[in-house]
């Protein structure tokens, strides 16, 4: 029971300390674009629409229009269930967001050269949690209220140029910022309905930096294309501010407050992506990607993700798509000698339908991912519990061309 008593104080105070500061533990939380998202993100060797600014800017030069743009609105919901984390009760966390997570405009600069600007939100969640757990061991009630907002945003220009008839290069340069705000309130009453522990926490995390994306596209034959990108994210400002108020029902009737503000180091990997696309007919496209995330110096794991997608035109004005992808974690699996780890690998499916007019398109799509993992949710305790995660995204996207 002592372990649960300690867990009450620090369960959500820093949201898995030591790894929240490493950036996102996954890299495909929200798939970007319309065609790309509904093909599982397998778009490195295609990238010939507005979402190419993110997947491979080299492909922009192959866009069908001299000027084109795209936008997407995505509803995203994530459900994480920690099994029997609060005594015999499951701890369920639900996060959701509804955001315009993608907008891009691309224009022709000269023959064989295109440029663009874009706004991208690859990760966003809003969590409101209000739970009361009754009969928790030797305690009467445990009350947990959490408000958590976490959003990462990219803004920047892109350029693409055709070097030869079968080779193109491109680059995007993004300024990015991450804002994370957590407010939590935890209350524990004993068997006499007296206050045993009470804690409130306000936490603010802010990260600012740059993300360059360098891409190349090679089309060795009309039916084949090969794409590759390199990106290396870096931050120039990373801060965390935290206020904590604790009250322990030890008879003193006194509360303690602590405040802290500090800079910290964010570890980002180098990312190498390679994709191959095959066009067996004017109506069918099959593509695949391999994404490698490599850390130069970090306690986090290197990650490999794969994605496969297909697009088929039912008619000249209607297309369907489907995809498969992995979204693996960079956090090492918990062990008996580790603490504060949460590791889960996800697998996902996507599908979508598009309608086209002469220069416009409308896409609706669904993305689903799920997995099972292990976590250490008690602060500075090596106890390992099982947990599950389910992510669902619904997207509506429009494209325009001139």
């Amino acid at each position: 029971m002592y372990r649960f008593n300690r867990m009450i104080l620090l369960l959500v105070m820093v949201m898995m300390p030591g790894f929240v500061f490493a950036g996102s533990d996954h890299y495909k939380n929200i798939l970007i674009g319309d065609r790309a998202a509904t093909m599982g993100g397998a778009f490195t060797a295609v990238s010939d629409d507005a979402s190419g600014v993110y997947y491979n800017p080299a492909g922009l030069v192959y866009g069908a229009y001299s000027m084109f743009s795209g936008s997407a609105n995505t509803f995203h919901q994530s459900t994480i269930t920690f099994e029997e984390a609060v005594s015999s009760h499951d701890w369920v966390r639900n996060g959701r967001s509804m955001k315009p997570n993608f907008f891009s405009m691309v224009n022709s600069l000269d023959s064989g050269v295109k440029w663009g600007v874009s706004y991208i939100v690859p990760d966003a969640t809003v969590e409101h949690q209000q739970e009361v757990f009754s009969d928790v061991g030797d305690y009467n009630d445990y009350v947990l209220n959490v408000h958590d907002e976490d959003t990462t945003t990219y803004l920047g220009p892109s350029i693409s140029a055709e070097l030869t008839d079968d080779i193109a290069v491109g680059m995007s340069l993004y300024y990015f910022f991450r804002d994370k705000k957590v407010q939590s309130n935890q209350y524990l009453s004993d068997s006499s309905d007296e206050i045993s522990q009470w804690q409130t926490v306000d936490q603010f995390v802010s990260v600012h930096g740059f993300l360059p994306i360098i891409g190349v596209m090679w089309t060795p034959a009309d039916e084949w294309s090969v794409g590759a990108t390199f990106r290396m994210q870096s931050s120039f400002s990373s801060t965390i501010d935290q206020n904590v108020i604790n009250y322990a029902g030890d008879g003193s009737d006194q509360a303690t407050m602590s405040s802290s503000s500090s800079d910290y180091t964010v570890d980002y990997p180098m990312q190498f992506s390679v994709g191959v696309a095959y066009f067996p007919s004017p109506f069918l496209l099959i593509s695949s990607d391999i994404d490698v995330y490599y850390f130069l110096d970090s306690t986090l794991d290197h990650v490999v993700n794969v994605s496969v997608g297909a697009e088929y035109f039912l008619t000249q004005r209607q297309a369907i798509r489907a995809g498969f992808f992995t979204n693996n974690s960079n956090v090492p699996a918990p062990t008996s000698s580790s603490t504060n780890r949460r590791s889960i690998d996800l697998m996902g499916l996507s599908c979508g339908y598009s309608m086209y007019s002469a220069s416009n398109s409308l896409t609706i799509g669904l993305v689903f991912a799920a997995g099972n993992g292990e976590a250490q949710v008690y602060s500075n305790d090596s106890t390992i519990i099982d947990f599950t995660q389910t992510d669902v995204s619904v997207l509506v996207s429009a494209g325009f061309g001139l």
Side-chain angles (χ1 to χ4, degrees):
M1 189 55 59
Y2 170 72
R3 187 186 70 217
F4 176 73
N5 196 30
R6 180 173 55 182
M7 178 272 293
I8 293 302
L9 284 177
L10 295 173
L11 185 64
V12 280
M13 187 175 79
V14 290
M15 297 298 178
M16 306 301 177
F19 286 104
V20 69
F21 305 139
S24 174
D25 57 350
H26 293 86
Y27 303 105
K28 291 191 173 183
N29 294 325
I30 299 178
L31 297 182
I32 302 302
D34 48 12
R35 294 174 65 205
T38 53
M39 293 172 63
F43 216 59
T44 301
V46 185
S47 294
D48 57 355
D49 65 12
S51 65
V53 295
Y54 180 75
Y55 288 96
N56 186 353
L60 296 176
V61 75
Y62 298 118
Y65 302 99
S66 60
M67 183 180 74
F68 51 94
S69 65
S71 63
N73 289 271
T74 302
F75 170 79
H76 178 75
Q77 175 160 326
S78 179
T79 301
I80 303 174
T81 302
F82 299 97
E83 299 176 6
E84 298 185 355
V86 183
S87 187
S88 60
H89 304 278
D90 293 343
W91 177 33
V92 181
R93 296 182 58 186
N94 291 297
R96 60 181 57 89
S97 65
M98 177 66 184
K99 286 184 176 291
N101 74 316
F102 167 70
F103 174 78
S104 174
M105 184 181 69
V106 179
N107 200 354
S108 294
L109 183 64
D110 200 350
S111 177
V113 179
K114 290 186 178 179
W115 66 277
V117 292
S118 56
Y119 158 92
I120 294 171
V121 180
D123 196 3
T125 186
V126 178
E127 176 186 347
H128 299 285
Q129 185 175 13
Q130 294 178 314
E131 292 197 60
V132 177
F133 301 94
S134 300
D135 299 322
V136 183
D138 294 336
Y139 302 94
N140 270 3
D141 295 307
Y142 170 45
V143 180
L144 174 62
N145 298 327
V146 178
H147 175 73
D148 183 2
E149 295 185 14
D150 193 355
T151 303
T152 300
T153 304
Y154 296 159
L155 298 166
S158 303
I159 191 166
S160 176
E162 191 174 18
L163 298 184
T164 67
D165 290 341
D166 55 6
I167 296 178
V169 295
M171 179 177 180
S172 295
L173 180 60
Y174 288 109
Y175 158 73
F176 78 90
F177 60 92
R178 179 191 182 195
D179 286 330
K180 179 177 177 65
K181 301 177 182 178
V182 181
Q183 294 178 311
S184 70
N185 182 34
Q186 300 180 84
Y187 171 87
L188 182 66
S189 64
D190 60 23
S191 57
S192 301
D193 283 333
E194 298 292 333
I195 298 176
S196 176
Q197 295 181 22
W198 192 355
Q199 181 194 75
T200 63
V201 177
D202 290 310
Q203 185 185 79
F204 304 93
V205 175
S206 179
V207 183
H208 298 263
F210 293 103
L211 171 65
I213 303 174
I214 300 172
V216 61
M217 189 80 75
W218 177 42
T219 53
D222 291 340
E223 298 85 5
W224 293 92
S225 64
V226 179
T229 63
F230 169 79
R231 61 190 76 193
M232 182 64 186
Q233 195 164 345
S234 62
S235 63
F236 59 81
S237 174
S238 307
T239 60
I240 176 171
D241 300 299
Q242 184 167 275
N243 299 316
V244 181
I245 300 176
N246 282 316
Y247 176 87
D250 55 5
S252 62
D253 292 329
Q254 291 184 347
T256 60
M257 186 187 76
S258 61
S259 297
S260 62
S261 179
S262 62
D263 298 330
Y264 64 93
T265 301
V266 183
D267 293 325
Y268 292 108
M270 294 187 297
Q271 179 184 340
F272 304 90
S273 298
V274 177
V276 177
Y278 175 51
F279 303 81
S281 77
F283 300 99
L284 179 62
L285 161 64
I286 301 171
S287 64
S288 63
D289 278 13
I290 297 178
D291 304 306
V292 178
Y293 304 85
Y294 185 85
F295 288 94
L296 292 176
D297 183 17
S298 177
T299 57
L300 300 178
D301 281 346
H302 308 309
V303 172
V304 177
N305 282 324
V306 298
S307 54
V308 180
E311 176 184 63
Y312 181 72
F313 276 81
L314 301 171
T315 68
Q316 289 185 342
R317 296 184 180 275
Q318 298 182 78
I320 56 175
R321 302 180 192 90
F324 165 83
F325 65 96
T326 63
N327 189 16
N328 295 323
S329 173
N330 61 23
V331 178
T335 66
S336 58
S337 60
S338 68
T339 59
N340 310 128
R341 290 185 182 179
R342 187 182 79 183
S343 182
I344 187 170
D345 292 335
L346 305 174
M347 291 191 294
L349 298 171
S350 64
C351 60
Y353 169 77
S354 293
M355 296 180 294
Y356 292 89
S357 65
S359 59
N360 303 325
S361 66
L362 177 66
T363 299
I364 56 175
L366 176 68
V367 182
F368 174 84
N372 300 299
E374 294 180 328
Q376 294 166 315
V377 298
Y378 312 115
S379 181
N380 299 319
D381 192 299
S382 62
T383 301
I384 299 173
I385 64 173
D386 296 327
F387 80 105
T388 61
Q389 180 172 338
T390 302
D391 295 340
V392 178
S393 297
V394 179
L395 66 93
V396 178
S397 176
F400 307 91
L402 295 175

